[in-house]
Amino acid sequence: MTAAAVAVERLEKTLGTNKVLRGVSFEAKPGEIFGLLGPNGAGKTTTLRIICTLLSPDAGTVEVMGFGTRKAPEEVRRRIGVVTADIGVYPRLSARENIEYLGRLCGLFGGELTRRVDGVMERLDMGSFAKQRAESLSSGQKQKVAIARAIVHDPDVLMFDEPTSNLDVLASKEVREFMVEAKGRGKCVIFSTHVMHDAERLCDHMTILHHGRVIASGSTDEVRGGRRDLEDSFLALVEAN
Amino acid sequence: MLPAWIVYRKELLEIVRDRRTLMAIGLAALVTPLVLIVVSQVSTRTATQTYTIGYSGEIPVGLDILLRATGLKLVTVADPSEAAKHEVDLGVAFLPAQIDEYFDPNRQSAQIADVRLQTVLGQYDAAQAAAALKSRGIDPGILTPMRLVSHPLSSPVQAASNAFLSFFLPYILITMILTGGFSAALDSSAGERERRTVESLLLTPAPRIQVLLGKIAAITTISLVAAVAAIGSMFVALTQIAIPGPGGSAGHIVLSPAAAPVMIWLALLIAMSFSALTLALGTLAKSFRQGQAYVTPLYFITILPASLILFIPDFNPSLAYYLIPILNAVLVLRDAIVHNTVAWPALGVTTISLLATGALSWFAAFRLFAREALLTRS
């Protein structure tokens, strides 16, 4: 049995007076796209932020490639790349400089950095705007910069938090294709979304969150549970909970 | 390569590409000499300007010549007290046994004319008394049994230069350090949060303390660059301004040798402390605009007490005053400029005070930068 790339166990988290997570557990393996689904406010983003060490859990544990987020947060961050819907790029740096900056902070230097940056830019077809300042890029181009800097250090785990919500159809398609490609290269891809259609097409396994609780978990077929599509199943589960 | 160094280089690159910061520094470098030249011209004009005395009655013989030589123009008026309100700078009624003087203390021109009149009358009285004694065969020297002979220990030109610098230099130094790094600090904290880049930065394995260190170092650098630009342009402008000295000589304003290293040391301490403080306040803000609202009062809180001290001549504070940040820097720098010496106990207390301020600000900035609310409050 393949060891989990990401193992989340009984996570609990309160933000302010709002109990956001109430014992969330799941495992995501290398070479699969794992869906983290749920309506807005279900706790998806908080879960991802705990996995990538930006937030600390009140209770429960997270391990990424065998490293605990509490004991070895820097080792965890070395092994993950995150792409979010809020595409924050440094406006006065060029597309290439944005990627190089984050690459350096991940420990890449000299020839290795150049090779990696060239590689991700080629893979994402960014040559035409590499030297352009990020402030003048389109949303799709900015999203490519965000993906490139998330993968420049070749992480084992890639997390996508609603990555297509601000993108047009073409840019969204490219992001989806990239996730499939990453899965093909043996990466563990965690895909957080409330778009059931995307999840059904892409995910191998998934967990559905609602009000901070896991209400369904398993393979895509198992979660669909014989219904016409995942959306029907999702609506039924949410209404039942 | 240290993460702090990587962050420092990137922050500097962004700063030099930021029009707001560059404009602030460029404006300071242009406006500072411009203000000095205007101030110099206004003070020169005030010193050489002719003021008008509206008078009635008979002017004592010879007094009119003395008054005209001192830049006081004489015009006859019917009612000196009325004329002194608006028409002339000073109203004077020459009566047989006394001189009545009318002036409005609210008018600066009246004050200057008054001082000139008092001086001229003093000289006139002394000359008249001396002439009367001489005509009676008495030595006029009895009027001054203890003759005062002045021996200035430094040149009057240097004293004037020191007075000028002790007033302007601390003010420009502190203002430029605060405002020079203002935009960069907010851009690096509140701006990073507003643009949503802070998340990607904190997702790297770089320790947060190093990220913060790089940011503070970059803001300190740009604050110092702003201060150097303003002070450099100020000294260039001062080479064009001559201070009149005794015997028609003239000199230029120069910084005393002791003041230069003191200024550099204080600038470094202030820049480091305030970079951390503005970064901490910026980290509290959710946007650049909100950051401005937090940081702007800081400028007034720090610069106002320090500025007020400059208007109190011969303020000799106890060592305890040197514990107050910014005020202590102003006082130490003023002493170094005026006396060309370093008061080591005062400098020591000032250094400790500014280092403590810096350390507390760094601690606050780190705590704020590491808190979860940085990401969860939007």
Side-chain angles (χ1 to χ4, degrees), chain B residues 12 15-16 20-33 169 171-184 217-235 263 267 271 275:
Chain B
L12 275 190
I15 289 168
V16 297
R20 282 175 302 204
T21 304
L22 293 184
M23 274 175 65
I25 295 172
L27 267 176
L30 285 173
V31 169
T32 306
L169 198 59
Y171 186 78
I172 291 173
L173 184 77
I174 291 159
T175 303
M176 285 318 299
I177 287 173
L178 287 182
T179 55
F182 185 94
S183 177
I219 299 160
T220 302
T221 303
I222 203 67
S223 299
L224 291 173
V225 167
V228 167
I231 289 169
S233 68
M234 181 182 106
F235 277 104
M263 182 176 72
S275 298

Side-chain angles (χ1 to χ4, degrees), chain B residues 9-195:
Chain B
R9 278 177 44 186
K10 174 261 168 189
E11 292 291 337
L12 275 190
L13 182 64
E14 279 218 292
I15 289 168
V16 297
R17 289 177 182 174
D18 181 15
R19 279 196 208 128
R20 282 175 302 204
T21 304
L22 293 184
M23 274 175 65
I25 295 172
L27 267 176
L30 285 173
V31 169
T32 306
L34 208 66
V35 168
L36 290 179
I37 288 168
V38 169
V39 168
S40 149
Q41 283 184 345
V42 168
S43 54
T44 306
R45 193 172 300 163
T46 307
T48 56
Q49 192 174 332
T50 299
Y51 296 95
T52 308
I53 294 178
Y55 76 97
S56 64
E58 285 292 316
I59 303 178
V61 179
L63 182 60
D64 56 337
I65 299 165
L66 273 174
L67 289 171
R68 285 192 193 100
T70 325
L72 293 169
K73 185 183 162 192
L74 293 162
V75 292
T76 51
V77 291
D79 183 351
S81 65
E82 269 306 306
K85 287 177 184 169
H86 301 292
E87 276 175 60
V88 292
D89 299 307
L90 217 58
V92 175
F94 291 102
L95 305 173
Q98 70 180 51
I99 298 171
D100 286 343
E101 183 196 22
Y102 304 94
F103 72 99
D104 181 359
N106 290 314
R107 290 164 62 195
Q108 199 190 8
S109 62
Q111 287 180 23
I112 297 169
D114 169 53
V115 171
R116 284 190 194 175
L117 178 68
Q118 303 279 358
T119 310
V120 169
L121 284 178
Q123 289 168 348
Y124 182 78
D125 287 348
Q128 288 294 98
L133 288 171
K134 212 170 181 179
S135 68
R136 286 166 175 76
I138 303 167
D139 179 10
I142 65 157
L143 289 172
T144 50
M146 293 294 283
R147 201 158 60 91
L148 178 70
V149 182
S150 296
H151 300 282
L153 296 175
S154 61
S155 93
V157 171
Q158 184 60 44
S161 161
N162 288 344
F164 182 89
L165 281 181
S166 69
F167 187 83
F168 274 102
L169 198 59
Y171 186 78
I172 291 173
L173 184 77
I174 291 159
T175 303
M176 285 318 299
I177 287 173
L178 287 182
T179 55
F182 185 94
S183 177
L186 291 182
D187 194 60
S188 186
S189 50
E192 184 122 45
R193 202 170 162 189
E194 189 175 21
R195 289 189 304 263

